[in-house]
Amino acid sequence: MHLEAIIFDVDGTLADTEEIHRRAFNRAFADSGLAWQWDVALYRELLGVTGGRERITHYAIDNDPGFAAQPGLESRVAEVHRRKTNHYVAQINSGEVSLRPGVRDLIEQAEAAGLKLAIATTTSPANIDALCRINLGADWRRRFAVVEDARTAPTKKPDPMAYHQAIERLGCAADRCLAIEDSANGLQAALAAGIATIISQNRYTDHHAFDGALAVYDDLGDVTLDTLIHLKNQQEAQLCPRSA
Ligand code: XBP
Ligand code: MG
């Protein structure tokens, strides 16, 4: 086994959070006096733009030129996004969202095997803290050697910045790591950083193209650390047949 670290995406991977994000966006639009409503079908499309601020800006430019043309667009978007993050955190803190199937077991198996854990996400730090605190306990941050998020890695997926920075800070070579993602943007970011990737798809991403993934699962419910190590070793054997 040559695996040293597992790097988790957050939204859609650790937990099925995008419906909570969608509701939070709509509540923030209402608070801001904006007649914008993102239904499920539209949100599935808008998820192609990673990062909440980027998503709001993209939507405004395409759908509300009046809003987009006013001066100070960046700060107005930041205010709407701040409200959205407050609504998101409030919903998570109400206990509405638990970890997806198999995630907790996989984290515990990886810790027991002495692997390092990391997070590489485009979401905001407050969102990660709320989700992990309520699901993994107040000391959740101690269990992850590295957390790369919208603040530390502002260039969002599919750009590999968060993954490049994660492996750098982990001190692991890319081929000693495994990424777990839910989306095409996340897969492309991890592959661009040279990291083998497992997909745990969900209703917001099950139409995405996952070419290049080691495996695609509906969830991690039946996926053990041994499964992942076997897949990783198989990949290595194919890449360098004699080195396995
Ligand atoms: C998914 C995203 C995030 C969330 C919204 O992040 O693209 O933008 O949709 O969160 P992940 P913010 O990389 O974890 O899949 O509003 O904080 O961006
Ligand atoms: Mg995701």
mmCIF file with all atom_site columns, all heavy atoms in Angstrom, residues 9-15 17-18 50 120-122 157 180-183 186 202 205, ligand 2:
data_model
loop_
_atom_site.group_PDB
_atom_site.id
_atom_site.type_symbol
_atom_site.label_atom_id
_atom_site.label_alt_id
_atom_site.label_comp_id
_atom_site.label_asym_id
_atom_site.label_entity_id
_atom_site.label_seq_id
_atom_site.pdbx_PDB_ins_code
_atom_site.Cartn_x
_atom_site.Cartn_y
_atom_site.Cartn_z
_atom_site.occupancy
_atom_site.B_iso_or_equiv
_atom_site.pdbx_formal_charge
_atom_site.auth_seq_id
_atom_site.auth_comp_id
_atom_site.auth_asym_id
_atom_site.auth_atom_id
_atom_site.pdbx_PDB_model_num
ATOM   1   N  N   . ASP A 1 9   ? -13.283 16.329 -0.486  1.00 0.00 ? 9   ASP A N   1
ATOM   2   C  CA  . ASP A 1 9   ? -14.083 17.496 -0.853  1.00 0.00 ? 9   ASP A CA  1
ATOM   3   C  C   . ASP A 1 9   ? -15.160 17.625 0.239   1.00 0.00 ? 9   ASP A C   1
ATOM   4   O  O   . ASP A 1 9   ? -15.412 16.659 0.981   1.00 0.00 ? 9   ASP A O   1
ATOM   5   C  CB  . ASP A 1 9   ? -14.719 17.222 -2.222  1.00 0.00 ? 9   ASP A CB  1
ATOM   6   C  CG  . ASP A 1 9   ? -15.858 18.158 -2.548  1.00 0.00 ? 9   ASP A CG  1
ATOM   7   O  OD1 . ASP A 1 9   ? -15.639 19.386 -2.489  1.00 0.00 ? 9   ASP A OD1 1
ATOM   8   O  OD2 . ASP A 1 9   ? -16.961 17.675 -2.824  1.00 0.00 ? 9   ASP A OD2 1
ATOM   9   N  N   . VAL A 1 10  ? -15.830 18.776 0.315   1.00 0.00 ? 10  VAL A N   1
ATOM   10  C  CA  . VAL A 1 10  ? -16.866 18.964 1.345   1.00 0.00 ? 10  VAL A CA  1
ATOM   11  C  C   . VAL A 1 10  ? -18.276 18.837 0.770   1.00 0.00 ? 10  VAL A C   1
ATOM   12  O  O   . VAL A 1 10  ? -18.949 17.818 0.958   1.00 0.00 ? 10  VAL A O   1
ATOM   13  C  CB  . VAL A 1 10  ? -16.698 20.323 2.053   1.00 0.00 ? 10  VAL A CB  1
ATOM   14  C  CG1 . VAL A 1 10  ? -17.851 20.580 3.021   1.00 0.00 ? 10  VAL A CG1 1
ATOM   15  C  CG2 . VAL A 1 10  ? -15.370 20.370 2.799   1.00 0.00 ? 10  VAL A CG2 1
ATOM   16  N  N   . ASP A 1 11  ? -18.699 19.845 0.037   1.00 0.00 ? 11  ASP A N   1
ATOM   17  C  CA  . ASP A 1 11  ? -20.105 19.882 -0.404  1.00 0.00 ? 11  ASP A CA  1
ATOM   18  C  C   . ASP A 1 11  ? -20.418 18.790 -1.411  1.00 0.00 ? 11  ASP A C   1
ATOM   19  O  O   . ASP A 1 11  ? -19.783 18.709 -2.452  1.00 0.00 ? 11  ASP A O   1
ATOM   20  C  CB  . ASP A 1 11  ? -20.419 21.259 -0.984  1.00 0.00 ? 11  ASP A CB  1
ATOM   21  C  CG  . ASP A 1 11  ? -20.401 22.312 0.109   1.00 0.00 ? 11  ASP A CG  1
ATOM   22  O  OD1 . ASP A 1 11  ? -21.124 22.147 1.101   1.00 0.00 ? 11  ASP A OD1 1
ATOM   23  O  OD2 . ASP A 1 11  ? -19.642 23.284 -0.013  1.00 0.00 ? 11  ASP A OD2 1
ATOM   24  N  N   . GLY A 1 12  ? -21.390 17.969 -1.036  1.00 0.00 ? 12  GLY A N   1
ATOM   25  C  CA  . GLY A 1 12  ? -21.797 16.862 -1.892  1.00 0.00 ? 12  GLY A CA  1
ATOM   26  C  C   . GLY A 1 12  ? -21.005 15.604 -1.625  1.00 0.00 ? 12  GLY A C   1
ATOM   27  O  O   . GLY A 1 12  ? -21.375 14.521 -2.080  1.00 0.00 ? 12  GLY A O   1
ATOM   28  N  N   . THR A 1 13  ? -19.882 15.720 -0.895  1.00 0.00 ? 13  THR A N   1
ATOM   29  C  CA  . THR A 1 13  ? -19.026 14.544 -0.646  1.00 0.00 ? 13  THR A CA  1
ATOM   30  C  C   . THR A 1 13  ? -19.083 14.145 0.830   1.00 0.00 ? 13  THR A C   1
ATOM   31  O  O   . THR A 1 13  ? -19.539 13.070 1.174   1.00 0.00 ? 13  THR A O   1
ATOM   32  C  CB  . THR A 1 13  ? -17.569 14.846 -1.058  1.00 0.00 ? 13  THR A CB  1
ATOM   33  O  OG1 . THR A 1 13  ? -17.544 15.176 -2.452  1.00 0.00 ? 13  THR A OG1 1
ATOM   34  C  CG2 . THR A 1 13  ? -16.660 13.652 -0.803  1.00 0.00 ? 13  THR A CG2 1
ATOM   35  N  N   . LEU A 1 14  ? -18.619 15.057 1.717   1.00 0.00 ? 14  LEU A N   1
ATOM   36  C  CA  . LEU A 1 14  ? -18.743 14.759 3.153   1.00 0.00 ? 14  LEU A CA  1
ATOM   37  C  C   . LEU A 1 14  ? -20.226 14.654 3.520   1.00 0.00 ? 14  LEU A C   1
ATOM   38  O  O   . LEU A 1 14  ? -20.635 13.786 4.289   1.00 0.00 ? 14  LEU A O   1
ATOM   39  C  CB  . LEU A 1 14  ? -18.096 15.859 3.994   1.00 0.00 ? 14  LEU A CB  1
ATOM   40  C  CG  . LEU A 1 14  ? -16.576 15.879 4.135   1.00 0.00 ? 14  LEU A CG  1
ATOM   41  C  CD1 . LEU A 1 14  ? -16.161 16.966 5.127   1.00 0.00 ? 14  LEU A CD1 1
ATOM   42  C  CD2 . LEU A 1 14  ? -16.020 14.525 4.590   1.00 0.00 ? 14  LEU A CD2 1
ATOM   43  N  N   . ALA A 1 15  ? -21.012 15.569 2.962   1.00 0.00 ? 15  ALA A N   1
ATOM   44  C  CA  . ALA A 1 15  ? -22.449 15.604 3.274   1.00 0.00 ? 15  ALA A CA  1
ATOM   45  C  C   . ALA A 1 15  ? -23.212 16.147 2.069   1.00 0.00 ? 15  ALA A C   1
ATOM   46  O  O   . ALA A 1 15  ? -22.639 16.854 1.233   1.00 0.00 ? 15  ALA A O   1
ATOM   47  C  CB  . ALA A 1 15  ? -22.695 16.499 4.485   1.00 0.00 ? 15  ALA A CB  1
ATOM   48  N  N   . THR A 1 17  ? -25.006 18.660 0.998   1.00 0.00 ? 17  THR A N   1
ATOM   49  C  CA  . THR A 1 17  ? -25.271 20.020 1.488   1.00 0.00 ? 17  THR A CA  1
ATOM   50  C  C   . THR A 1 17  ? -25.831 20.966 0.431   1.00 0.00 ? 17  THR A C   1
ATOM   51  O  O   . THR A 1 17  ? -26.293 22.065 0.780   1.00 0.00 ? 17  THR A O   1
ATOM   52  C  CB  . THR A 1 17  ? -23.942 20.648 1.960   1.00 0.00 ? 17  THR A CB  1
ATOM   53  O  OG1 . THR A 1 17  ? -23.006 20.542 0.869   1.00 0.00 ? 17  THR A OG1 1
ATOM   54  C  CG2 . THR A 1 17  ? -23.406 19.951 3.192   1.00 0.00 ? 17  THR A CG2 1
ATOM   55  N  N   . GLU A 1 18  ? -25.796 20.588 -0.839  1.00 0.00 ? 18  GLU A N   1
ATOM   56  C  CA  . GLU A 1 18  ? -26.129 21.599 -1.850  1.00 0.00 ? 18  GLU A CA  1
ATOM   57  C  C   . GLU A 1 18  ? -27.587 22.067 -1.779  1.00 0.00 ? 18  GLU A C   1
ATOM   58  O  O   . GLU A 1 18  ? -27.894 23.218 -2.115  1.00 0.00 ? 18  GLU A O   1
ATOM   59  C  CB  . GLU A 1 18  ? -25.774 21.110 -3.263  1.00 0.00 ? 18  GLU A CB  1
ATOM   60  C  CG  . GLU A 1 18  ? -24.282 21.054 -3.526  1.00 0.00 ? 18  GLU A CG  1
ATOM   61  C  CD  . GLU A 1 18  ? -23.564 22.405 -3.442  1.00 0.00 ? 18  GLU A CD  1
ATOM   62  O  OE1 . GLU A 1 18  ? -24.193 23.454 -3.257  1.00 0.00 ? 18  GLU A OE1 1
ATOM   63  O  OE2 . GLU A 1 18  ? -22.319 22.397 -3.523  1.00 0.00 ? 18  GLU A OE2 1
ATOM   64  N  N   . THR A 1 50  ? -18.193 27.200 -9.539  1.00 0.00 ? 50  THR A N   1
ATOM   65  C  CA  . THR A 1 50  ? -17.879 26.891 -8.136  1.00 0.00 ? 50  THR A CA  1
ATOM   66  C  C   . THR A 1 50  ? -17.641 28.189 -7.369  1.00 0.00 ? 50  THR A C   1
ATOM   67  O  O   . THR A 1 50  ? -17.200 29.187 -7.935  1.00 0.00 ? 50  THR A O   1
ATOM   68  C  CB  . THR A 1 50  ? -16.611 26.019 -8.034  1.00 0.00 ? 50  THR A CB  1
ATOM   69  O  OG1 . THR A 1 50  ? -15.560 26.664 -8.726  1.00 0.00 ? 50  THR A OG1 1
ATOM   70  C  CG2 . THR A 1 50  ? -16.845 24.629 -8.614  1.00 0.00 ? 50  THR A CG2 1
ATOM   71  N  N   . ALA A 1 120 ? -10.137 19.635 0.798   1.00 0.00 ? 120 ALA A N   1
ATOM   72  C  CA  . ALA A 1 120 ? -9.865  20.590 -0.289  1.00 0.00 ? 120 ALA A CA  1
ATOM   73  C  C   . ALA A 1 120 ? -11.219 20.979 -0.878  1.00 0.00 ? 120 ALA A C   1
ATOM   74  O  O   . ALA A 1 120 ? -11.871 20.190 -1.556  1.00 0.00 ? 120 ALA A O   1
ATOM   75  C  CB  . ALA A 1 120 ? -8.986  19.959 -1.359  1.00 0.00 ? 120 ALA A CB  1
ATOM   76  N  N   . THR A 1 121 ? -11.670 22.191 -0.585  1.00 0.00 ? 121 THR A N   1
ATOM   77  C  CA  . THR A 1 121 ? -13.022 22.607 -0.952  1.00 0.00 ? 121 THR A CA  1
ATOM   78  C  C   . THR A 1 121 ? -13.039 24.035 -1.483  1.00 0.00 ? 121 THR A C   1
ATOM   79  O  O   . THR A 1 121 ? -12.096 24.803 -1.264  1.00 0.00 ? 121 THR A O   1
ATOM   80  C  CB  . THR A 1 121 ? -13.953 22.542 0.284   1.00 0.00 ? 121 THR A CB  1
ATOM   81  O  OG1 . THR A 1 121 ? -15.245 23.058 -0.057  1.00 0.00 ? 121 THR A OG1 1
ATOM   82  C  CG2 . THR A 1 121 ? -13.403 23.378 1.435   1.00 0.00 ? 121 THR A CG2 1
ATOM   83  N  N   . THR A 1 122 ? -14.107 24.376 -2.214  1.00 0.00 ? 122 THR A N   1
ATOM   84  C  CA  . THR A 1 122 ? -14.267 25.763 -2.677  1.00 0.00 ? 122 THR A CA  1
ATOM   85  C  C   . THR A 1 122 ? -15.242 26.508 -1.760  1.00 0.00 ? 122 THR A C   1
ATOM   86  O  O   . THR A 1 122 ? -15.556 27.672 -2.010  1.00 0.00 ? 122 THR A O   1
ATOM   87  C  CB  . THR A 1 122 ? -14.845 25.803 -4.101  1.00 0.00 ? 122 THR A CB  1
ATOM   88  O  OG1 . THR A 1 122 ? -16.099 25.121 -4.083  1.00 0.00 ? 122 THR A OG1 1
ATOM   89  C  CG2 . THR A 1 122 ? -13.915 25.129 -5.088  1.00 0.00 ? 122 THR A CG2 1
ATOM   90  N  N   . LYS A 1 157 ? -12.048 25.387 -7.974  1.00 0.00 ? 157 LYS A N   1
ATOM   91  C  CA  . LYS A 1 157 ? -12.094 24.222 -8.875  1.00 0.00 ? 157 LYS A CA  1
ATOM   92  C  C   . LYS A 1 157 ? -12.902 24.596 -10.118 1.00 0.00 ? 157 LYS A C   1
ATOM   93  O  O   . LYS A 1 157 ? -13.827 25.410 -10.027 1.00 0.00 ? 157 LYS A O   1
ATOM   94  C  CB  . LYS A 1 157 ? -12.798 23.052 -8.164  1.00 0.00 ? 157 LYS A CB  1
ATOM   95  C  CG  . LYS A 1 157 ? -12.144 22.642 -6.851  1.00 0.00 ? 157 LYS A CG  1
ATOM   96  C  CD  . LYS A 1 157 ? -13.024 21.647 -6.085  1.00 0.00 ? 157 LYS A CD  1
ATOM   97  C  CE  . LYS A 1 157 ? -12.451 21.327 -4.720  1.00 0.00 ? 157 LYS A CE  1
ATOM   98  N  NZ  . LYS A 1 157 ? -13.347 20.442 -3.941  1.00 0.00 ? 157 LYS A NZ  1
ATOM   99  N  N   . ILE A 1 180 ? -11.377 12.369 -2.757  1.00 0.00 ? 180 ILE A N   1
ATOM   100 C  CA  . ILE A 1 180 ? -12.765 11.900 -2.851  1.00 0.00 ? 180 ILE A CA  1
ATOM   101 C  C   . ILE A 1 180 ? -13.640 13.112 -3.173  1.00 0.00 ? 180 ILE A C   1
ATOM   102 O  O   . ILE A 1 180 ? -13.648 14.099 -2.419  1.00 0.00 ? 180 ILE A O   1
ATOM   103 C  CB  . ILE A 1 180 ? -13.243 11.225 -1.552  1.00 0.00 ? 180 ILE A CB  1
ATOM   104 C  CG1 . ILE A 1 180 ? -12.298 10.057 -1.226  1.00 0.00 ? 180 ILE A CG1 1
ATOM   105 C  CG2 . ILE A 1 180 ? -14.686 10.709 -1.707  1.00 0.00 ? 180 ILE A CG2 1
ATOM   106 C  CD1 . ILE A 1 180 ? -12.690 9.223  -0.035  1.00 0.00 ? 180 ILE A CD1 1
ATOM   107 N  N   . GLU A 1 181 ? -14.340 13.026 -4.310  1.00 0.00 ? 181 GLU A N   1
ATOM   108 C  CA  . GLU A 1 181 ? -15.084 14.174 -4.830  1.00 0.00 ? 181 GLU A CA  1
ATOM   109 C  C   . GLU A 1 181 ? -16.504 13.777 -5.226  1.00 0.00 ? 181 GLU A C   1
ATOM   110 O  O   . GLU A 1 181 ? -16.854 12.584 -5.249  1.00 0.00 ? 181 GLU A O   1
ATOM   111 C  CB  . GLU A 1 181 ? -14.364 14.702 -6.090  1.00 0.00 ? 181 GLU A CB  1
ATOM   112 C  CG  . GLU A 1 181 ? -13.289 15.731 -5.816  1.00 0.00 ? 181 GLU A CG  1
ATOM   113 C  CD  . GLU A 1 181 ? -13.886 17.107 -5.508  1.00 0.00 ? 181 GLU A CD  1
ATOM   114 O  OE1 . GLU A 1 181 ? -15.113 17.283 -5.643  1.00 0.00 ? 181 GLU A OE1 1
ATOM   115 O  OE2 . GLU A 1 181 ? -13.127 17.997 -5.118  1.00 0.00 ? 181 GLU A OE2 1
ATOM   116 N  N   . ASP A 1 182 ? -17.343 14.783 -5.539  1.00 0.00 ? 182 ASP A N   1
ATOM   117 C  CA  . ASP A 1 182 ? -18.712 14.484 -6.013  1.00 0.00 ? 182 ASP A CA  1
ATOM   118 C  C   . ASP A 1 182 ? -18.999 15.071 -7.378  1.00 0.00 ? 182 ASP A C   1
ATOM   119 O  O   . ASP A 1 182 ? -20.056 14.787 -7.962  1.00 0.00 ? 182 ASP A O   1
ATOM   120 C  CB  . ASP A 1 182 ? -19.739 15.037 -5.013  1.00 0.00 ? 182 ASP A CB  1
ATOM   121 C  CG  . ASP A 1 182 ? -19.797 16.567 -5.074  1.00 0.00 ? 182 ASP A CG  1
ATOM   122 O  OD1 . ASP A 1 182 ? -18.740 17.210 -4.979  1.00 0.00 ? 182 ASP A OD1 1
ATOM   123 O  OD2 . ASP A 1 182 ? -20.918 17.101 -5.232  1.00 0.00 ? 182 ASP A OD2 1
ATOM   124 N  N   . SER A 1 183 ? -18.096 15.953 -7.889  1.00 0.00 ? 183 SER A N   1
ATOM   125 C  CA  . SER A 1 183 ? -18.463 16.719 -9.098  1.00 0.00 ? 183 SER A CA  1
ATOM   126 C  C   . SER A 1 183 ? -17.376 16.666 -10.159 1.00 0.00 ? 183 SER A C   1
ATOM   127 O  O   . SER A 1 183 ? -16.212 16.350 -9.863  1.00 0.00 ? 183 SER A O   1
ATOM   128 C  CB  . SER A 1 183 ? -18.693 18.188 -8.711  1.00 0.00 ? 183 SER A CB  1
ATOM   129 O  OG  . SER A 1 183 ? -17.443 18.770 -8.339  1.00 0.00 ? 183 SER A OG  1
ATOM   130 N  N   . GLY A 1 186 ? -14.640 19.127 -9.397  1.00 0.00 ? 186 GLY A N   1
ATOM   131 C  CA  . GLY A 1 186 ? -13.743 18.625 -8.346  1.00 0.00 ? 186 GLY A CA  1
ATOM   132 C  C   . GLY A 1 186 ? -12.801 17.568 -8.884  1.00 0.00 ? 186 GLY A C   1
ATOM   133 O  O   . GLY A 1 186 ? -11.602 17.567 -8.587  1.00 0.00 ? 186 GLY A O   1
ATOM   134 N  N   . ASN A 1 202 ? -24.020 12.442 -6.448  1.00 0.00 ? 202 ASN A N   1
ATOM   135 C  CA  . ASN A 1 202 ? -25.278 12.719 -5.769  1.00 0.00 ? 202 ASN A CA  1
ATOM   136 C  C   . ASN A 1 202 ? -26.261 13.284 -6.785  1.00 0.00 ? 202 ASN A C   1
ATOM   137 O  O   . ASN A 1 202 ? -25.922 13.460 -7.964  1.00 0.00 ? 202 ASN A O   1
ATOM   138 C  CB  . ASN A 1 202 ? -25.035 13.688 -4.601  1.00 0.00 ? 202 ASN A CB  1
ATOM   139 C  CG  . ASN A 1 202 ? -24.330 14.956 -5.056  1.00 0.00 ? 202 ASN A CG  1
ATOM   140 O  OD1 . ASN A 1 202 ? -24.856 15.692 -5.894  1.00 0.00 ? 202 ASN A OD1 1
ATOM   141 N  ND2 . ASN A 1 202 ? -23.128 15.192 -4.560  1.00 0.00 ? 202 ASN A ND2 1
ATOM   142 N  N   . THR A 1 205 ? -25.081 15.915 -9.071  1.00 0.00 ? 205 THR A N   1
ATOM   143 C  CA  . THR A 1 205 ? -23.904 15.724 -9.948  1.00 0.00 ? 205 THR A CA  1
ATOM   144 C  C   . THR A 1 205 ? -23.961 14.424 -10.747 1.00 0.00 ? 205 THR A C   1
ATOM   145 O  O   . THR A 1 205 ? -23.041 14.115 -11.499 1.00 0.00 ? 205 THR A O   1
ATOM   146 C  CB  . THR A 1 205 ? -22.598 15.702 -9.111  1.00 0.00 ? 205 THR A CB  1
ATOM   147 O  OG1 . THR A 1 205 ? -22.627 14.545 -8.231  1.00 0.00 ? 205 THR A OG1 1
ATOM   148 C  CG2 . THR A 1 205 ? -22.434 16.976 -8.293  1.00 0.00 ? 205 THR A CG2 1
HETATM 149 MG MG  . MG  B 2 .   ? -18.321 19.036 -3.987  1.00 0.00 ? 2   MG  B MG  1
#
